[in-house]
Amino acid sequence: MNNRKKLQDQVAIITGASSGIGAGIAKALAAEGAKVVVNYSSSADKAEKVLKEITDAGGEGFTFKANVGKEPDVIKLFEETIKRYGTVDILINNAGLQNDAKFHEMTLDQWNHVINTNLTGQFLCAREAIKEFLKRGVVPSKSRSAGKIICISSVHEVIPWAGHANYAASKGGIMMMMKTIAQEYAPMKIRVNSIGPGAIKTPINHAAWQTQAAYNNLLKLIPQKRIGEPEDVGGAAVWLASDDSEYVNGITLFVDGGMLLYPGFEDNG
Ligand code: NAD
């Protein structure tokens, strides 16, 4: 029997991995044999805690501080990874934030902050990853692809979201960037896909689940009647990063408990 793990000997950078979905994905990839770079922007202690859980479970990795919205930081993140581990095989473009306001009250700083982190940050990281994938090409002993990028988008790449125009625009932008680079680099065996989470229990949306009343309200939007956990997204990321999905390119895999199924129509509309 072949006991080789699905991501054995591959190197994965996970941005914004000190909490929530990023931490869940880092743990899931490490459990499948990937060496993981736990990127964080400010919370070194939280990133170290995530790494300790990974190493305690027999995994390998290191933490690295970088603001994904800053080009020199992103370049250093990739340089350090390549210096330590020789290459990068998988990029999880996960770092993201919200800065909500009614549209007519939204400041340019609020708009720019969210677009710069959520969309420009994914551009900067994807560009460095693709440079490395093109340079290295396919290593058949590791994977049938020259590299894999997984963009963490949102159901809000398709569902409009009042009061969050900057966030929804960033996620819609990620969708077209992802599809465009998937098309551009598929001939070079680079795969680019997105995961569109629904409501996942993390710090970003604590207001939506921290009280019973808020949680009950949230469940009206989720046909499966439970909030998602970071592990739900971790499993999807492992699949998209592994050769199990080798013929999958340019899609968004929604991990949302059915949120996109128009739950308002559940009871005859
Ligand atoms: P989170 O707040 O726990 O995680 C976001 C992470 O990104 C944090 O660790 C934060 O420090 C990091 N980050 C923010 N700005 C950064 C920067 N400039 N450079 C590097 N790191 C930075 O929230 P989460 O829910 O885990 O969010 C992860 C991703 O999932 C985000 O892109 C978010 O939009 C997306 N998402 C989350 C949900 C959900 O319900 N939780 C739903 C859809 C999409």
Side-chain angles (χ1 to χ4, degrees), residues 14-25 39-43 46 64-70 73-74 93-98 113 116-118 121-122 151-156 161 167 170-171 174 195-206 208-209 218 227-228 230 233 255 259:
I14 303 99
T15 66
S18 57
S19 72
I21 290 172
I25 293 177
N39 159 251
Y40 67 98
S41 56
S42 54
S43 316
K46 285 195 198 161
F64 195 83
K65 181 179 164 100
N67 178 338
V68 296
K70 294 193 171 157
D73 280 24
V74 172
N93 250 339
N94 167 76
L97 46 77
Q98 289 177 216
H113 186 208
N116 186 57
T117 306
N118 295 11
Q122 292 214 9
C151 300
I152 304 305
S153 176
S154 166
V155 288
H156 295 296
W161 202 13
Y167 184 84
S170 74
K171 299 300 186 181
I174 287 168
I195 293 175
I200 309 296
K201 194 174 184 185
T202 74
I204 209 172
N205 60 359
H206 62 97
W209 49 263
L218 177 67
I227 193 168
V233 185
V255 179
M259 194 177 248

Side-chain angles (χ1 to χ4, degrees), residues 162-225:
H164 307 74
N166 48 3
Y167 184 84
S170 74
K171 299 300 186 181
I174 287 168
M175 176 181 66
M176 282 313 291
M177 183 188 75
M178 176 277 291
K179 286 176 187 276
T180 300
I181 56 181
Q183 185 192 61
E184 198 166 336
Y185 295 100
M188 295 82 172
K189 296 194 181 300
I190 292 168
R191 294 195 298 118
V192 189
N193 293 288
S194 286
I195 293 175
I200 309 296
K201 194 174 184 185
T202 74
I204 209 172
N205 60 359
H206 62 97
W209 49 263
Q210 65 181 353
T211 66
Q212 194 58 48
Y215 186 59
N216 291 343
N217 213 26
L218 177 67
L219 291 190
K220 291 182 196 154
L221 298 175
I222 310 173
Q224 274 185 233
K225 300 299 169 209

Side-chain angles (χ1 to χ4, degrees), residues 224-247:
Q224 274 185 233
K225 300 299 169 209
R226 74 166 173 90
I227 193 168
E229 301 290 339
E231 297 74 40
D232 292 311
V233 185
V238 166
W239 183 71
L240 278 178
S242 76
D243 280 355
D244 288 349
S245 62
E246 200 274 331
Y247 206 50

